[in-house]
Amino acid sequence: FKNFILTLEWRFTPGRFVGINGSGIIVRSNGLNTIGLDPRGIEIDITPKTNEMNIQVTGNFVAYSMPIKNHGGETQGETGKGKPTRHLGWLKKPTLRPAGQWNETEVACNGDRIKVKINGDLINEGWGVPEEAGHICLRNQNTSIEFRNIRLTELDSSETKKRGAK
């Protein structure tokens, strides 16, 4: 999928293990990143708490071998000595529902832009993402997470132009 709106609900499974590593939604994914551990693409991170770098990450972008820019900077999505982080923070801290309750996330990929809403609030917006079709991945990383009510609406070229994409 290239241009679309994905809406889904998620929660950390009540009574199950919730670790510090994030889960998330990866869009425009094609193959593996350069180190072969993660899908290539842009992830919208879903994490129950701050990570080891003391960054609250739910709603952040995590780039895996793919460029993205936002209000806070830019990354090429590579890691390693002398390379910038692959994480880009959010515009606004998301208001998450209490443990066990469902949160709703909307991800809109349109042209070179990605917009993320969590529980109705615009949380992040990025641009400069390659305009290419790819897979959508729902990721679990050492945490018990559930997804439901997954809805995908593809945008055709006329909708892409109306919504302000290049």
Side-chain angles (χ1 to χ4, degrees):
F1 300 96
K2 181 177 176 181
N3 295 307
F4 59 87
I5 297 173
L6 171 71
T7 305
L8 55 78
E9 293 176 288
W10 58 269
R11 71 176 179 178
F12 298 108
T13 308
R16 301 292 300 271
F17 178 76
V18 177
I20 195 136
N21 287 351
S23 297
I25 304 160
I26 302 174
V27 296
R28 293 195 175 160
S29 178
N30 286 306
L32 297 175
N33 70 341
T34 55
I35 59 174
L37 294 176
D38 295 296
R40 179 179 174 269
I42 303 296
E43 180 175 22
I44 295 84
D45 219 346
I46 300 173
T47 303
K49 45 192 153 189
T50 57
N51 70 8
E52 62 277 359
M53 296 177 290
N54 201 31
I55 301 170
Q56 171 56 273
V57 291
T58 296
N60 275 3
F61 290 125
V62 184
Y64 296 109
S65 300
M66 186 175 279
I68 188 170
K69 300 174 186 176
N70 77 357
H71 70 286
E74 63 183 280
T75 182
Q76 294 299 309
E78 303 298 336
T79 59
K81 190 172 184 175
K83 295 182 180 175
T85 181
R86 63 183 177 198
H87 295 262
L88 290 178
W90 24 249
L91 291 166
K92 175 182 175 181
K93 182 177 181 177
T95 302
L96 301 179
R97 299 195 173 115
Q101 292 187 18
W102 293 94
N103 293 281
E104 184 174 81
T105 297
E106 177 184 287
V107 179
C109 289
N110 194 2
D112 77 334
R113 295 192 167 282
I114 299 175
K115 290 184 181 182
V116 178
K117 291 182 181 178
I118 297 178
N119 295 325
D121 293 328
L122 180 64
I123 300 301
N124 212 340
E125 183 172 3
W127 55 90
V129 178
E131 296 183 47
E132 60 188 53
H135 298 281
I136 298 170
C137 307
L138 302 181
R139 183 177 198 176
N140 166 328
Q141 189 176 10
N142 301 322
T143 254
S144 183
I145 188 169
E146 299 174 319
F147 296 97
R148 73 175 188 187
N149 295 327
I150 301 167
R151 297 172 302 282
L152 179 68
T153 304
E154 284 192 89
L155 302 175
D156 65 27
S157 58
S158 63
E159 288 176 293
T160 299
K161 289 176 185 169
K162 283 191 287 188
R163 293 175 183 265
K166 293 179 184 177

